[in-house]
Structure formats: structure tokens, C-alpha cells
Amino acid sequence: MKSLVLQKSKTGFIAAALFLLAFLGVLAWIFFVASKNPADSGESGILLLPFAVPWVMWLPVEWLGPWAAVLCVLLNAVIIYVLFGGLRLKTRV
């Protein structure tokens, strides 16, 4: 009797981890710039937009906030994990 098993992938994990590390690097840089420039009203936050696209574009304006953007980034990390072979089905006898 055959059964399906989900296999984990090191490549998918590395790709998703690099994506999240790049996001955290940009986020840290934005906080650093905002701490040095008191007149910064958040324009540097536009650099985070590519990490959350396309999901942040589909959300209603009332839902937008920092946690919604972080959830969009995490969703993109999961998608990257799956695309790089993170969840492969393997048949086991």
C-alpha cells in the first residue's frame, strides 16, 4: 500500500531564510535611518513594499498596518519555500 509523505527541503529553507533575512535587514536599516532623522515621516518604508507585493495591494485600506504587511511577507516566504521544493510529495511503499 502506497502513502504520500511531505518531504522537507534544505534548498527551500535556505531560499525562504534568505528572503526573511533580506526583509529584516531592510527593516533594521529603516529603523536606523528613522532614528537618525527625526524629520523622516516614513518615506523609507517604501523599500519594504517589494517584500509584501502582491498581497498588500489586494488588502482593503482598513486592514493595512504593520502586522498586515508582516503577514504578507511571511506568506511570500512560505510561497518561496514551496517553490524551491519545500513541500514535495514522496510516495512511500
Side-chain angles (χ1 to χ4, degrees), residues 21-92:
L21 282 175
F23 168 72
L24 291 175
V26 171
L27 186 64
W29 183 78
I30 288 171
F31 281 128
F32 174 75
V33 168
S35 70
K36 297 295 180 190
N37 183 7
D40 186 13
S41 61
E43 298 91 9
S44 57
I46 196 74
L47 295 174
L48 293 176
L49 189 61
F51 292 100
V53 168
W55 318 114
V56 78
M57 299 295 186
W58 293 348
L59 290 176
V61 176
E62 298 85 26
W63 291 8
L64 290 179
W67 293 112
V70 169
L71 289 176
C72 292
V73 170
L74 291 176
L75 179 61
N76 280 341
V78 168
I79 291 171
I80 288 172
Y81 178 75
V82 170
L83 285 177
F84 278 86
L87 294 177
R88 291 177 288 170
L89 288 175
K90 179 182 176 184
T91 58
R92 185 171 50 176

